Amino acid sequence: MSDYLCIAPDVKLGPGVQLSKFINLYGCEVGDNTKIGAFVEIQKNAKIGKNCKISSHTFICEGVTIEDNVFVGHGVTFINDSYPRATTLNGEPQTEKDWTVEPTLVKKGASIGSGATILANITIGENALIGAGSVVTRDVPANTIVVGNPARVLRAIDGAEMAR
């Protein structure tokens, strides 16, 4: 199986982590009992909590923190730069010193539907649910469902739905 994994020596994996084939992890932390699907990349300085499920084809960039018990659907993309550029003002290729990582926080128990895009400087509240294909451009309150492009609050999540 190691022939199909690219895991840098600086990756911190908690006990019980399950890794699918064809993943790329470097400089990140993954908490206990978390499942990582195929074709997932998790970059340096990203942190994934315990008991999470990160579905296939997801990209988690530097600056993203995902707390415990979070579900991330297939093909979710996180962004860490609000104004990306390939070059500096003088036309030179950008390096890490030419920009600042913008953080994203996904709080405990949140669920992110397949195909969602999460922009930089966003906090997704506890138990929030992001609809499939949504583009999250601003903070999401706890215990709410957001959908669309840009994602807007659809409604609050009631207690019975959280117990599922």
Side-chain angles (χ1 to χ4, degrees), residues 24 26-28 41-46 59-62 80:
N24 186 24
Y26 54 97
C28 60
E41 179 169 335
I42 304 174
Q43 293 186 328
K44 68 180 180 178
N45 302 319
F59 175 72
I60 301 172
C61 55
E62 180 177 7
N80 64 2

Side-chain angles (χ1 to χ4, degrees), residues 39-87:
F39 304 104
V40 168
E41 179 169 335
I42 304 174
Q43 293 186 328
K44 68 180 180 178
N45 302 319
K47 294 178 182 162
I48 313 300
K50 297 176 183 178
N51 304 311
C52 294
K53 182 177 180 184
I54 311 299
S55 301
S56 69
H57 298 87
T58 289
F59 175 72
I60 301 172
C61 55
E62 180 177 7
V64 172
T65 299
I66 296 174
E67 293 182 348
D68 298 343
N69 308 321
V70 170
F71 172 83
V72 179
H74 301 280
V76 172
T77 301
F78 288 85
I79 310 289
N80 64 2
D81 187 353
S82 297
Y83 302 97
R85 297 285 185 251
T87 60

Side-chain angles (χ1 to χ4, degrees), residues 134-153:
S134 294
V135 178
V136 179
T137 61
R138 58 185 158 195
D139 290 349
V140 176
N143 305 310
T144 60
I145 298 172
V146 299
V147 297
N149 180 5
R152 300 207 189 287
V153 174

Side-chain angles (χ1 to χ4, degrees), residues 87-93:
T87 60
T88 62
L89 291 175
N90 65 4
E92 297 294 320

